[in-house]
Amino acid sequence: MFAAVACLWVQPLLAATPTKPLTLDAAELFDWVVRSRNNDGLPFMIIDKREAHLWVFDRSGKPQGNAPVLLGVARGDHTAPGVGDKKLSDIKFEERTTPAGRFIAEVGMNARGEDVVWVDYDAAVSMHRVLTTNPKEQRARRLETPTPADNRVSYGCINVPKAFFENVVSATVRGGNSVVYVLPELQPLRSVFNKVA
């Protein structure tokens, strides 16, 4: 089944969203999730940090769409101890990572009163609409470039194109929890997801 999944094209729900095939690691994880039912009957998402890309699936593994994302500016697969309790201005550069792992996501509100999808509440890592409050960061433009080379800019949160967040991500999580799988970028896949076979 893996060979077939590796060639899977995930069709977007939005015409403006480019269709991107699963990467090899994302396809391997997808195959394992579907075979093992690791998603516990919930919708799920896979984020490949190396490619800065997100794929969304319903509970049966049917593609719902895909989109580029922005990630933590610092490379790494861990969460810095206590980072979720710090003010943004106190978070050091090397602590601004998007952690790898399996997370149960749920809809919630951030400190600004905006709806977000909490990926890791304790570490203050959420998935939300792309932030454009700091023009110097050019976050919306970064999402439109063809490579992931400039998609590292956040404090660790996952920024998603606005329309994709509202029409796909929020709609997927709104009915209840969902599972978010964030692939590692510095470690091998099996070091984080050790049951993948």
Side-chain angles (χ1 to χ4, degrees), residues 21-85:
L22 289 167
T23 61
L24 289 177
D25 278 352
E28 187 172 358
L29 185 74
F30 173 86
D31 184 47
W32 170 72
V33 169
V34 172
R35 277 188 298 104
S36 67
R37 298 188 176 136
N38 185 268
N39 60 317
D40 296 326
L42 296 170
F44 63 98
M45 305 180 209
I46 298 175
I47 297 171
D48 188 324
K49 289 198 290 178
R50 291 177 185 146
E51 291 299 316
H53 208 84
L54 161 70
W55 294 269
V56 180
F57 304 92
D58 71 8
R59 63 188 69 244
S60 68
K62 181 180 177 184
Q64 301 301 296
N66 71 96
V69 293
L70 300 179
L71 302 165
V73 69
R75 298 194 184 280
D77 298 318
H78 65 285
T79 298
V83 72
D85 298 322

Side-chain angles (χ1 to χ4, degrees), residues 19 25 30 32 65 80 91 110 144 149 156:
T19 300
D25 278 352
F30 173 86
W32 170 72
I91 299 175
N110 65 13
E144 295 172 356

Side-chain angles (χ1 to χ4, degrees), residues 18-174:
T19 300
K20 185 175 178 84
L22 289 167
T23 61
L24 289 177
D25 278 352
E28 187 172 358
L29 185 74
F30 173 86
D31 184 47
W32 170 72
V33 169
V34 172
R35 277 188 298 104
S36 67
R37 298 188 176 136
N38 185 268
N39 60 317
D40 296 326
L42 296 170
F44 63 98
M45 305 180 209
I46 298 175
I47 297 171
D48 188 324
K49 289 198 290 178
R50 291 177 185 146
E51 291 299 316
H53 208 84
L54 161 70
W55 294 269
V56 180
F57 304 92
D58 71 8
R59 63 188 69 244
S60 68
K62 181 180 177 184
Q64 301 301 296
N66 71 96
V69 293
L70 300 179
L71 302 165
V73 69
R75 298 194 184 280
D77 298 318
H78 65 285
T79 298
V83 72
D85 298 322
K86 293 184 176 183
K87 293 187 285 186
L88 286 180
S89 58
D90 293 335
I91 299 175
K92 299 174 184 172
F93 179 89
E94 63 272 13
E95 296 175 328
R96 300 175 188 181
T97 60
T98 301
R102 180 188 189 271
F103 304 94
I104 300 297
E106 58 184 277
V107 174
M109 301 294 270
N110 65 13
R112 293 186 299 271
E114 301 162 336
D115 61 309
V116 299
V117 173
W118 286 108
V119 175
D120 185 347
Y121 184 82
D122 292 337
V125 175
S126 68
M127 189 181 305
H128 53 72
R129 296 166 190 84
V130 60
L131 293 179
T132 56
T133 50
N134 184 348
K136 291 181 182 176
E137 293 177 336
Q138 299 184 4
R139 291 191 182 201
R141 184 199 60 77
R142 289 169 185 256
L143 284 171
E144 295 172 356
T145 61
T147 73
D150 60 352
N151 288 42
R152 309 306 292 257
V153 66
S154 81
Y155 281 76
C157 286
I158 302 151
N159 285 220
V160 181
K162 183 177 184 290
F164 191 84
F165 180 84
E166 293 172 352
N167 295 314
V168 181
V169 173
S170 278
T172 299
V173 182
R174 196 174 294 125

